[in-house]
Coordinates of all heavy atoms in Angstrom, one line a residue:
M1 N 94.8 108.5 118.0 CA 95.1 107.0 117.9 C 96.5 106.8 117.5 O 97.1 107.4 116.7 CB 94.2 106.4 116.8 CG 94.0 104.9 117.0 SD 92.7 104.3 115.9 CE 93.0 102.6 116.0
K2 N 97.1 105.8 118.3 CA 98.5 105.5 118.0 C 98.7 104.7 116.7 O 97.8 104.1 116.2 CB 99.0 104.7 119.2 CG 99.5 105.5 120.3 CD 100.1 104.6 121.4 CE 100.4 105.4 122.7 NZ 100.7 104.5 123.8
S3 N 99.9 104.7 116.3 CA 100.2 104.0 115.0 C 100.0 102.5 115.2 O 100.3 102.0 116.3 CB 101.7 104.3 114.7 OG 102.3 103.2 114.1
L4 N 99.5 101.9 114.2 CA 99.2 100.4 114.3 C 100.3 99.6 113.6 O 100.1 98.5 113.1 CB 97.9 100.1 113.7 CG 96.7 100.5 114.6 CD1 95.4 100.2 113.9 CD2 96.7 99.8 115.9
K5 N 101.5 100.2 113.5 CA 102.6 99.4 112.9 C 102.9 98.2 113.8 O 103.1 98.3 115.0 CB 103.8 100.3 112.9 CG 104.0 101.0 111.5 CD 105.3 101.7 111.5 CE 105.5 102.5 110.2 NZ 106.7 103.3 110.3
I6 N 103.0 97.1 113.1 CA 103.4 95.8 113.8 C 104.9 95.7 113.9 O 105.4 95.4 115.0 CB 102.7 94.6 113.2 CG1 101.2 94.7 113.4 CG2 103.3 93.3 113.7 CD1 100.4 93.6 112.7
F7 N 105.6 96.0 112.8 CA 107.0 95.9 112.9 C 107.6 97.3 112.8 O 107.2 98.1 112.0 CB 107.5 95.1 111.7 CG 107.1 93.6 111.9 CD1 106.1 93.1 111.0 CD2 107.6 92.8 112.8 CE1 105.7 91.8 111.1 CE2 107.2 91.5 112.9 CZ 106.3 91.0 112.1
V8 N 108.6 97.5 113.5 CA 109.3 98.8 113.5 C 110.7 98.6 112.9 O 111.4 97.7 113.3 CB 109.5 99.4 114.9 CG1 110.2 100.7 114.9 CG2 108.1 99.5 115.6
H9 N 111.0 99.3 111.8 CA 112.3 99.1 111.2 C 113.4 99.5 112.1 O 113.4 100.5 112.8 CB 112.4 99.8 109.9 CG 113.6 99.5 109.1 ND1 113.7 98.3 108.5 CD2 114.7 100.2 108.8 CE1 114.9 98.2 107.9 NE2 115.5 99.4 108.1
R10 N 114.5 98.7 112.1 CA 115.6 99.0 113.0 C 116.9 98.5 112.3 O 116.9 97.5 111.6 CB 115.4 98.1 114.2 CG 116.5 98.1 115.2 CD 116.1 97.2 116.4 NE 116.3 95.8 116.0 CZ 116.5 94.8 116.8 NH1 116.4 95.0 118.1 NH2 116.7 93.6 116.4
D11 N 117.9 99.3 112.4 CA 119.1 99.0 111.7 C 120.2 98.5 112.8 O 120.6 99.2 113.6 CB 119.7 100.2 111.0 CG 120.8 99.8 110.0 OD1 121.3 98.6 110.1 OD2 121.1 100.6 109.2
P12 N 120.5 97.1 112.7 CA 121.4 96.6 113.7 C 122.8 97.2 113.6 O 123.6 97.0 114.5 CB 121.4 95.1 113.4 CG 120.2 94.9 112.5 CD 120.0 96.1 111.8
Q13 N 123.1 97.9 112.5 CA 124.4 98.5 112.4 C 124.6 99.6 113.5 O 125.8 99.9 113.8 CB 124.6 99.1 111.0 CG 124.7 98.0 110.0 CD 125.0 98.6 108.6 OE1 126.1 98.8 108.2 NE2 123.9 98.7 107.8
F14 N 123.5 100.1 114.0 CA 123.7 101.1 115.1 C 123.4 100.5 116.5 O 123.4 101.2 117.5 CB 122.7 102.3 114.8 CG 122.9 102.9 113.5 CD1 122.0 102.8 112.5 CD2 124.1 103.6 113.3 CE1 122.3 103.4 111.2 CE2 124.3 104.2 112.1 CZ 123.4 104.1 111.0
G15 N 123.2 99.2 116.5 CA 122.9 98.5 117.7 C 124.1 97.8 118.3 O 125.2 98.1 117.9
K16 N 123.8 97.0 119.3 CA 124.9 96.4 120.1 C 125.3 95.1 119.4 O 124.5 94.4 118.8 CB 124.3 96.0 121.5 CG 124.8 97.0 122.6 CD 124.3 96.4 123.9 CE 124.4 97.4 125.0 NZ 123.9 96.9 126.2
C17 N 126.6 94.7 119.6 CA 127.1 93.5 119.1 C 126.8 92.4 120.1 O 127.1 92.6 121.3 CB 128.6 93.6 118.8 SG 129.4 92.0 118.7
P18 N 126.2 91.2 119.7 CA 125.9 90.2 120.7 C 127.2 89.6 121.3 O 127.1 89.0 122.4 CB 125.1 89.2 120.0 CG 124.8 89.8 118.7 CD 125.8 90.8 118.4
G19 N 128.3 89.7 120.6 CA 129.5 89.1 121.1 C 130.2 89.9 122.1 O 130.6 89.4 123.2
C20 N 130.4 91.2 121.8 CA 131.3 92.0 122.7 C 130.5 93.2 123.3 O 131.1 94.0 124.1 CB 132.5 92.5 122.0 SG 132.1 93.5 120.6
N21 N 129.2 93.3 123.0 CA 128.4 94.4 123.5 C 128.8 95.8 123.1 O 128.4 96.8 123.7 CB 128.3 94.4 125.0 CG 127.2 93.4 125.4 OD1 126.2 93.2 124.7 ND2 127.3 92.7 126.6
E22 N 129.7 95.9 122.1 CA 130.1 97.2 121.6 C 129.0 97.8 120.7 O 128.3 97.1 120.0 CB 131.4 97.1 120.7 CG 132.6 96.8 121.5 CD 133.2 98.0 122.2 OE1 133.0 99.1 121.6 OE2 133.8 97.9 123.2
I23 N 128.8 99.1 120.8 CA 127.8 99.7 119.9 C 128.4 100.2 118.6 O 129.4 100.9 118.6 CB 127.1 100.9 120.7 CG1 126.3 100.2 121.9 CG2 126.1 101.6 119.9 CD1 125.9 101.2 123.0
G24 N 127.7 99.9 117.5 CA 128.1 100.5 116.2 C 129.3 99.8 115.6 O 129.9 100.4 114.8
T25 N 129.5 98.5 115.9 CA 130.6 97.8 115.3 C 130.2 96.8 114.3 O 131.0 96.3 113.5 CB 131.5 97.0 116.4 OG1 130.6 96.1 117.0 CG2 132.1 98.0 117.4
L26 N 128.9 96.6 114.2 CA 128.4 95.6 113.2 C 128.3 96.2 111.8 O 127.9 97.4 111.6 CB 127.0 95.2 113.6 CG 126.9 94.4 114.9 CD1 125.4 94.1 115.2 CD2 127.7 93.1 114.9
H27 N 128.6 95.4 110.8 CA 128.4 95.8 109.5 C 127.8 94.6 108.7 O 128.1 93.5 109.1 CB 129.6 96.4 108.8 CG 130.8 95.5 108.7 ND1 131.1 94.9 107.5 CD2 131.6 95.0 109.6 CE1 132.2 94.1 107.7 NE2 132.5 94.1 109.0
R28 N 127.2 94.9 107.6 CA 126.5 93.8 106.8 C 127.6 92.8 106.2 O 128.6 93.2 105.8 CB 125.7 94.4 105.7 CG 124.3 94.7 106.2 CD 123.5 95.4 105.1 NE 122.3 96.1 105.7 CZ 121.2 95.5 105.9 NH1 121.0 94.2 105.5 NH2 120.2 96.1 106.4
S29 N 127.2 91.6 106.3 CA 128.1 90.5 105.8 C 127.4 89.8 104.7 O 126.2 89.7 104.7 CB 128.4 89.6 107.0 OG 129.3 88.6 106.5
R30 N 128.2 89.3 103.8 CA 127.6 88.6 102.6 C 127.3 87.1 103.0 O 128.0 86.5 103.7 CB 128.5 88.6 101.5 CG 127.8 89.0 100.2 CD 128.8 88.9 99.0 NE 129.3 90.2 98.6 CZ 130.2 90.4 97.7 NH1 130.8 89.3 97.1 NH2 130.6 91.6 97.3
A31 N 126.2 86.6 102.5 CA 125.8 85.2 102.7 C 126.8 84.3 102.0 O 127.1 84.5 100.9 CB 124.4 84.9 102.2
R32 N 127.3 83.3 102.8 CA 128.3 82.4 102.2 C 127.7 81.1 101.7 O 128.1 80.5 100.7 CB 129.3 82.0 103.3 CG 130.3 83.1 103.5 CD 131.3 82.7 104.6 NE 132.0 83.8 105.2 CZ 132.5 83.8 106.4 NH1 132.5 82.7 107.1 NH2 133.2 84.9 106.8
S33 N 126.6 80.6 102.4 CA 126.1 79.4 102.0 C 124.6 79.5 101.4 O 124.0 80.6 101.6 CB 126.0 78.4 103.1 OG 125.2 78.9 104.1
M34 N 124.1 78.5 100.8 CA 122.8 78.5 100.3 C 121.8 78.7 101.5 O 120.8 79.5 101.3 CB 122.6 77.1 99.7 CG 121.3 76.9 98.9 SD 121.4 77.8 97.4 CE 120.0 77.1 96.6
K35 N 122.0 78.1 102.6 CA 121.1 78.2 103.8 C 121.1 79.7 104.2 O 120.0 80.2 104.5 CB 121.7 77.3 104.9 CG 120.7 77.1 106.0 CD 121.3 76.2 107.1 CE 121.1 76.9 108.4 NZ 122.1 76.4 109.4
E36 N 122.2 80.4 104.3 CA 122.2 81.8 104.7 C 121.5 82.6 103.7 O 120.8 83.6 104.1 CB 123.7 82.2 104.8 CG 124.4 81.6 106.0 CD 125.8 82.1 106.2 OE1 126.4 82.8 105.2 OE2 126.4 81.8 107.2
Q37 N 121.6 82.3 102.4 CA 120.9 83.1 101.4 C 119.4 83.0 101.5 O 118.7 83.9 101.3 CB 121.4 82.6 100.0 CG 122.6 83.3 99.5 CD 123.1 82.8 98.1 OE1 122.3 82.2 97.4 NE2 124.3 83.1 97.8
I38 N 119.0 81.7 101.8 CA 117.6 81.5 101.9 C 117.0 82.2 103.1 O 116.0 82.9 103.0 CB 117.3 79.9 102.0 CG1 117.6 79.3 100.7 CG2 115.8 79.7 102.4 CD1 117.7 77.8 100.7
I39 N 117.7 82.2 104.3 CA 117.3 82.9 105.5 C 117.2 84.4 105.2 O 116.2 85.1 105.5 CB 118.2 82.6 106.7 CG1 118.1 81.1 107.0 CG2 117.8 83.4 107.9 CD1 119.1 80.6 108.0
K40 N 118.2 84.9 104.5 CA 118.3 86.3 104.2 C 117.1 86.7 103.3 O 116.5 87.8 103.5 CB 119.6 86.5 103.4 CG 120.4 87.7 103.9 CD 121.6 87.9 103.2 CE 122.1 89.3 103.1 NZ 123.4 89.5 102.5
K41 N 116.7 85.9 102.4 CA 115.7 86.3 101.4 C 114.3 86.1 102.0 O 113.4 86.9 101.7 CB 115.8 85.4 100.2 CG 116.7 86.1 99.2 CD 116.7 85.3 97.9 CE 117.8 85.9 97.0 NZ 118.3 84.9 96.0
L42 N 114.1 85.1 102.8 CA 112.7 84.8 103.3 C 112.4 85.4 104.6 O 111.2 85.5 105.0 CB 112.6 83.2 103.4 CG 112.6 82.4 102.1 CD1 112.4 81.0 102.4 CD2 111.6 82.9 101.1
T43 N 113.3 85.9 105.4 CA 113.0 86.4 106.7 C 113.5 87.9 106.8 O 114.1 88.4 105.9 CB 113.7 85.6 107.8 OG1 115.1 85.8 107.7 CG2 113.3 84.2 107.8
F44 N 113.2 88.5 107.9 CA 113.6 89.8 108.2 C 115.1 89.9 108.7 O 115.5 90.9 109.2 CB 112.7 90.5 109.3 CG 111.3 90.8 108.8 CD1 110.2 90.4 109.5 CD2 111.1 91.4 107.6 CE1 108.9 90.6 109.1 CE2 109.9 91.7 107.1 CZ 108.8 91.3 107.9
F45 N 115.7 88.7 108.7 CA 117.1 88.7 109.3 C 118.1 89.0 108.2 O 118.0 88.6 107.0 CB 117.3 87.3 109.9 CG 116.6 87.1 111.1 CD1 115.3 86.5 111.1 CD2 117.1 87.5 112.4 CE1 114.6 86.3 112.3 CE2 116.4 87.3 113.5 CZ 115.1 86.7 113.5
S46 N 119.2 89.7 108.6 CA 120.3 89.9 107.7 C 121.6 89.5 108.4 O 121.6 89.4 109.6 CB 120.4 91.4 107.4 OG 119.4 91.8 106.5
L47 N 122.6 89.2 107.6 CA 123.8 88.8 108.2 C 124.7 90.0 108.6 O 124.8 90.9 107.8 CB 124.6 88.0 107.1 CG 124.4 86.5 107.1 CD1 125.1 85.9 105.9 CD2 125.0 85.8 108.4
F48 N 125.3 89.9 109.7 CA 126.2 90.9 110.2 C 127.5 90.4 110.7 O 127.5 89.2 111.1 CB 125.5 91.8 111.3 CG 124.4 92.6 110.7 CD1 123.1 92.1 110.7 CD2 124.6 93.9 110.2 CE1 122.0 92.9 110.1 CE2 123.6 94.6 109.7 CZ 122.3 94.2 109.6
R49 N 128.5 91.2 110.7 CA 129.7 90.8 111.3 C 130.3 92.0 112.1 O 130.1 93.2 111.8 CB 130.7 90.5 110.1 CG 132.1 90.1 110.6 CD 133.0 90.0 109.5 NE 133.3 88.7 109.0 CZ 134.0 87.8 109.7 NH1 134.4 88.1 110.9 NH2 134.3 86.6 109.2
C50 N 130.9 91.6 113.2 CA 131.4 92.7 114.1 C 132.9 93.0 113.8 O 133.7 92.1 113.6 CB 131.3 92.2 115.6 SG 132.1 93.3 116.7
R51 N 133.2 94.2 113.7 CA 134.6 94.7 113.4 C 135.5 94.4 114.5 O 136.7 94.2 114.3 CB 134.6 96.2 113.0 CG 134.4 96.4 111.5 CD 134.3 97.9 111.3 NE 133.2 98.2 110.5 CZ 132.4 99.2 110.6 NH1 132.5 100.1 111.6 NH2 131.4 99.4 109.8
T52 N 135.0 94.5 115.7 CA 135.9 94.4 116.9 C 136.2 93.0 117.3 O 137.3 92.6 117.4 CB 135.2 95.1 118.1 OG1 134.7 96.4 117.6 CG2 136.2 95.4 119.2
C53 N 135.1 92.1 117.5 CA 135.4 90.8 118.0 C 135.2 89.7 117.0 O 135.5 88.5 117.2 CB 134.5 90.5 119.2 SG 132.7 90.4 118.7
G54 N 134.7 90.0 115.8 CA 134.6 89.0 114.7 C 133.3 88.2 114.8 O 133.2 87.3 114.0
W55 N 132.4 88.6 115.7 CA 131.1 87.9 115.8 C 130.4 88.0 114.4 O 130.4 89.0 113.8 CB 130.3 88.5 116.9 CG 128.9 87.9 116.9 CD1 128.5 86.8 117.7 CD2 127.7 88.3 116.2 NE1 127.2 86.6 117.5 CE2 126.7 87.5 116.6 CE3 127.5 89.3 115.3 CZ2 125.4 87.6 116.1 CZ3 126.2 89.5 114.8 CH2 125.2 88.6 115.2
R56 N 129.8 86.9 114.0 CA 129.1 86.9 112.7 C 127.8 86.1 112.9 O 127.8 85.0 113.5 CB 129.9 86.2 111.6 CG 129.3 86.3 110.3 CD 130.3 85.8 109.2 NE 129.8 85.9 107.9 CZ 129.0 84.9 107.4 NH1 128.8 83.8 108.1 NH2 128.5 85.0 106.2
G57 N 126.7 86.7 112.5 CA 125.4 86.0 112.6 C 124.3 86.8 112.1 O 124.5 87.9 111.5
F58 N 123.1 86.3 112.3 CA 121.9 87.0 111.9 C 121.3 87.9 112.9 O 121.3 87.6 114.1 CB 120.8 85.9 111.5 CG 121.1 85.2 110.2 CD1 121.7 84.0 110.2 CD2 120.7 85.8 109.0 CE1 122.0 83.4 109.0 CE2 121.0 85.2 107.8 CZ 121.6 84.0 107.8
R59 N 120.9 89.1 112.5 CA 120.3 90.0 113.3 C 119.0 90.5 112.6 O 119.0 90.6 111.4 CB 121.1 91.3 113.6 CG 122.4 91.0 114.3 CD 122.2 90.4 115.7 NE 121.8 91.3 116.7 CZ 121.2 91.0 117.8 NH1 121.1 89.7 118.1 NH2 120.8 91.9 118.7
S60 N 117.9 90.6 113.4 CA 116.7 91.1 112.8 C 116.8 92.5 112.4 O 117.3 93.3 113.2 CB 115.5 90.8 113.8 OG 114.4 91.4 113.3
T61 N 116.2 92.9 111.3 CA 116.2 94.3 110.8 C 114.9 94.9 111.3 O 114.7 96.1 111.0 CB 116.4 94.4 109.3 OG1 115.5 93.6 108.7 CG2 117.8 94.1 108.9
F62 N 114.0 94.1 111.9 CA 112.8 94.7 112.4 C 112.7 94.3 113.9 O 113.1 93.2 114.3 CB 111.6 94.1 111.6 CG 111.4 94.7 110.3 CD1 112.0 94.2 109.2 CD2 110.5 95.8 110.2 CE1 111.9 94.9 108.0 CE2 110.3 96.4 109.0 CZ 111.0 95.9 107.9
S63 N 112.1 95.2 114.6 CA 111.9 94.8 116.0 C 110.4 94.7 116.3 O 109.6 95.4 115.7 CB 112.6 95.8 116.9 OG 112.0 97.1 116.7
F64 N 110.2 93.9 117.3 CA 108.8 93.6 117.6 C 108.6 94.2 119.0 O 109.2 93.9 120.0 CB 108.8 92.0 117.7 CG 107.4 91.5 117.7 CD1 106.7 91.5 116.5 CD2 106.8 90.8 118.7 CE1 105.5 90.9 116.4 CE2 105.6 90.3 118.7 CZ 104.9 90.3 117.5
T65 N 107.7 95.2 119.0 CA 107.5 96.0 120.2 C 106.3 95.5 121.0 O 105.5 94.7 120.5 CB 107.4 97.5 119.9 OG1 106.3 97.6 119.1 CG2 108.6 98.0 119.3
Q66 N 106.1 96.0 122.2 CA 104.9 95.7 123.0 C 103.7 96.3 122.3 O 102.6 95.7 122.4 CB 105.1 96.3 124.4 CG 104.5 95.5 125.5 CD 104.4 96.2 126.8 OE1 105.1 97.2 127.0 NE2 103.7 95.6 127.7
Q67 N 103.9 97.4 121.6 CA 102.8 98.0 120.9 C 102.3 97.1 119.8 O 101.2 97.0 119.4 CB 103.3 99.4 120.3 CG 102.2 100.2 119.6 CD 101.0 100.5 120.6 OE1 101.2 100.9 121.7 NE2 99.8 100.4 120.1
S68 N 103.3 96.3 119.2 CA 103.0 95.3 118.2 C 102.0 94.3 118.6 O 101.0 94.0 117.9 CB 104.2 94.6 117.7 OG 105.3 95.4 117.5
V69 N 102.2 93.8 119.8 CA 101.3 92.8 120.4 C 99.9 93.3 120.5 O 98.9 92.7 120.1 CB 101.8 92.3 121.8 CG1 100.9 91.2 122.4 CG2 103.2 91.7 121.6
K70 N 99.8 94.6 121.0 CA 98.5 95.2 121.1 C 97.8 95.4 119.7 O 96.6 95.1 119.6 CB 98.6 96.6 121.7 CG 98.8 96.5 123.2 CD 98.9 97.9 123.8 CE 99.6 97.9 125.2 NZ 100.1 99.2 125.5
S71 N 98.6 95.8 118.7 CA 98.1 95.9 117.4 C 97.6 94.6 116.8 O 96.5 94.5 116.2 CB 99.2 96.4 116.4 OG 99.7 97.7 116.9
I72 N 98.3 93.5 117.1 CA 97.9 92.2 116.6 C 96.6 91.8 117.2 O 95.7 91.3 116.5 CB 99.1 91.1 116.8 CG1 100.2 91.4 115.9 CG2 98.6 89.7 116.6 CD1 101.5 90.6 116.2
I73 N 96.5 92.0 118.5 CA 95.3 91.6 119.2 C 94.1 92.4 118.6 O 93.0 91.9 118.4 CB 95.4 91.9 120.7 CG1 96.4 90.8 121.3 CG2 94.1 91.8 121.4 CD1 96.9 91.1 122.7
L74 N 94.3 93.7 118.4 CA 93.3 94.6 117.8 C 92.9 94.1 116.4 O 91.7 94.0 116.1 CB 93.8 96.0 117.7 CG 92.8 97.1 117.5 CD1 91.9 97.2 118.7 CD2 93.4 98.4 117.1
Y75 N 93.9 93.7 115.6 CA 93.6 93.3 114.2 C 92.8 92.0 114.3 O 91.8 91.8 113.6 CB 94.9 93.0 113.5 CG 95.5 94.3 112.9 CD1 96.8 94.6 113.1 CD2 94.7 95.2 112.1 CE1 97.4 95.7 112.6 CE2 95.3 96.3 111.6 CZ 96.6 96.6 111.8 OH 97.2 97.7 111.3
L76 N 93.2 91.1 115.2 CA 92.5 89.8 115.3 C 91.1 90.0 115.8 O 90.2 89.3 115.3 CB 93.2 88.9 116.3 CG 94.5 88.2 115.8 CD1 95.2 87.4 116.9 CD2 94.2 87.3 114.6
A77 N 90.9 90.9 116.7 CA 89.5 91.2 117.2 C 88.7 91.8 116.0 O 87.5 91.4 115.9 CB 89.6 92.3 118.3
M78 N 89.3 92.6 115.2 CA 88.5 93.2 114.0 C 88.2 92.1 113.0 O 87.1 92.1 112.5 CB 89.4 94.3 113.4 CG 89.3 95.6 114.1 SD 90.1 97.0 113.4 CE 91.4 96.5 112.4
I79 N 89.1 91.2 112.8 CA 88.9 90.1 111.9 C 87.7 89.2 112.4 O 86.8 88.8 111.7 CB 90.2 89.3 111.6 CG1 91.2 90.1 110.8 CG2 89.9 87.9 110.9 CD1 92.6 89.5 110.9
L80 N 87.8 88.9 113.7 CA 86.8 88.1 114.3 C 85.4 88.7 114.2 O 84.4 88.1 113.9 CB 87.2 87.8 115.8 CG 86.6 86.6 116.4 CD1 87.2 85.3 115.8 CD2 86.8 86.6 117.9
A81 N 85.4 90.0 114.5 CA 84.1 90.8 114.5 C 83.5 90.8 113.1 O 82.3 90.5 112.9 CB 84.3 92.2 115.0
T82 N 84.4 91.0 112.1 CA 83.9 91.0 110.7 C 83.4 89.6 110.3 O 82.3 89.5 109.7 CB 85.1 91.4 109.8 OG1 85.7 92.5 110.3 CG2 84.6 91.7 108.4
A83 N 84.1 88.6 110.7 CA 83.7 87.2 110.4 C 82.3 86.9 111.0 O 81.4 86.3 110.4 CB 84.7 86.2 110.9
L84 N 82.1 87.4 112.3 CA 80.8 87.1 112.9 C 79.7 87.9 112.2 O 78.6 87.3 112.1 CB 80.9 87.6 114.4 CG 81.6 86.6 115.3 CD1 81.8 87.2 116.7 CD2 80.9 85.3 115.5
I85 N 79.9 89.1 111.8 CA 78.9 89.9 111.1 C 78.6 89.3 109.8 O 77.4 89.1 109.5 CB 79.4 91.4 110.9 CG1 79.5 92.1 112.3 CG2 78.5 92.2 110.0 CD1 80.3 93.4 112.3
I86 N 79.6 88.8 109.1 CA 79.3 88.2 107.8 C 78.5 86.9 108.0 O 77.6 86.7 107.3 CB 80.7 87.9 107.1 CG1 81.3 89.2 106.6 CG2 80.5 86.9 105.9 CD1 82.8 89.1 106.1
R87 N 78.9 86.2 109.0 CA 78.1 84.9 109.3 C 76.7 85.2 109.6 O 75.8 84.5 109.1 CB 78.8 84.2 110.5 CG 78.9 82.7 110.2 CD 79.3 82.0 111.5 NE 78.1 81.5 112.2 CZ 78.1 81.0 113.4 NH1 79.3 80.9 114.0 NH2 77.0 80.6 114.0
L88 N 76.5 86.2 110.4 CA 75.1 86.6 110.8 C 74.3 87.0 109.6 O 73.2 86.6 109.4 CB 75.2 87.8 111.8 CG 74.0 88.1 112.6 CD1 73.9 87.1 113.7 CD2 74.0 89.5 113.2
V89 N 74.9 87.8 108.7 CA 74.2 88.3 107.5 C 73.9 87.1 106.6 O 72.8 87.0 106.1 CB 75.1 89.3 106.8 CG1 74.6 89.6 105.4 CG2 75.2 90.6 107.6
L90 N 74.9 86.2 106.4 CA 74.7 85.0 105.6 C 73.6 84.2 106.1 O 72.7 83.7 105.4 CB 76.0 84.2 105.5 CG 77.1 84.8 104.6 CD1 78.3 83.9 104.7 CD2 76.6 84.9 103.2
T91 N 73.6 83.9 107.4 CA 72.5 83.0 108.0 C 71.2 83.6 108.0 O 70.2 83.0 107.9 CB 72.9 82.5 109.4 OG1 73.3 83.7 110.2 CG2 74.1 81.6 109.4
K92 N 71.1 85.0 108.1 CA 69.8 85.7 108.2 C 69.2 85.9 106.8 O 68.0 85.8 106.6 CB 70.0 87.0 108.8 CG 69.6 87.0 110.3 CD 69.2 88.3 110.8 CE 68.5 88.3 112.1 NZ 68.3 89.6 112.7
F93 N 70.0 86.3 105.8 CA 69.4 86.7 104.6 C 69.6 85.7 103.4 O 68.9 85.7 102.5 CB 70.0 88.0 104.2 CG 69.7 89.1 105.2 CD1 70.7 89.6 106.0 CD2 68.4 89.6 105.3 CE1 70.4 90.5 107.0 CE2 68.2 90.6 106.3 CZ 69.2 91.0 107.1
I94 N 70.7 84.9 103.5 CA 71.0 84.1 102.3 C 70.6 82.6 102.5 O 69.8 82.0 101.8 CB 72.4 84.2 101.9 CG1 72.6 85.7 101.4 CG2 72.8 83.3 100.8 CD1 74.1 86.1 101.4
I95 N 71.1 82.0 103.6 CA 70.8 80.6 103.8 C 69.4 80.5 104.6 O 69.2 81.0 105.6 CB 71.9 80.0 104.7 CG1 73.3 80.2 103.9 CG2 71.7 78.5 104.9 CD1 74.5 80.1 104.8
R96 N 68.6 79.7 104.0 CA 67.3 79.5 104.6 C 66.9 78.1 104.7 O 67.3 77.3 103.9 CB 66.2 80.2 103.7 CG 66.3 81.7 103.9 CD 65.0 82.4 103.5 NE 65.3 83.9 103.7 CZ 64.6 84.6 104.7 NH1 63.8 84.0 105.5 NH2 64.9 85.8 104.8
Ligands
ZN101 ZN1 131.6 92.4 118.7

């Protein structure tokens, strides 16, 4: 059975810069405003800056793969099946 990981950790520092498409030029940047701090704390996004072109912005530190979608569907199916079983048990044995 394949891994059911939904999110795969990824470090944008080894990825491409959205500004100049150079690989490995991004490095972590400090949040300047309250809004940036909030985004940084609440989401999977981190601030990055490019050494070459000066691009600055948020990059996700997690990637969402096609396998993730399959895992989510599988989890939802399991939740639904469990809910149906519980409902069946409740209506058969408890509620009369
Ligand atoms: Zn760049």
Side-chain angles (χ1 to χ4, degrees):
M1 198 168 169
K2 274 184 188 171
S3 144
L4 286 178
K5 262 188 186 171
I6 289 175
F7 295 107
V8 181
H9 188 69
R10 175 183 76 159
D11 195 347
Q13 290 184 85
F14 302 111
K16 260 187 195 174
C17 163
C20 60
N21 277 331
E22 288 280 332
I23 295 164
T25 57
L26 295 177
H27 64 105
R28 275 175 196 272
S29 179
R30 226 184 259 176
R32 281 181 200 157
S33 64
M34 190 70 165
K35 196 181 126 201
E36 287 180 352
Q37 273 178 16
I38 291 166
I39 294 169
K40 227 176 149 176
K41 272 183 190 156
L42 297 180
T43 66
F44 290 131
F45 290 90
S46 286
L47 269 171
F48 288 92
R49 183 190 254 291
C50 175
R51 266 176 230 140
T52 316
C53 68
W55 176 90
R56 188 172 176 274
F58 284 98
R59 298 301 285 162
S60 171
T61 50
F62 281 87
S63 62
F64 201 69
T65 61
Q66 215 189 344
Q67 186 61 42
S68 314
V69 180
K70 284 181 199 161
S71 301
I72 288 168
I73 291 167
L74 194 71
Y75 280 131
L76 285 176
M78 279 183 341
I79 291 165
L80 201 72
T82 313
L84 282 173
I85 292 164
I86 290 169
R87 221 192 95 189
L88 197 77
V89 170
L90 284 176
T91 49
K92 261 204 165 173
F93 302 104
I94 296 160
I95 304 157
R96 289 202 178 246

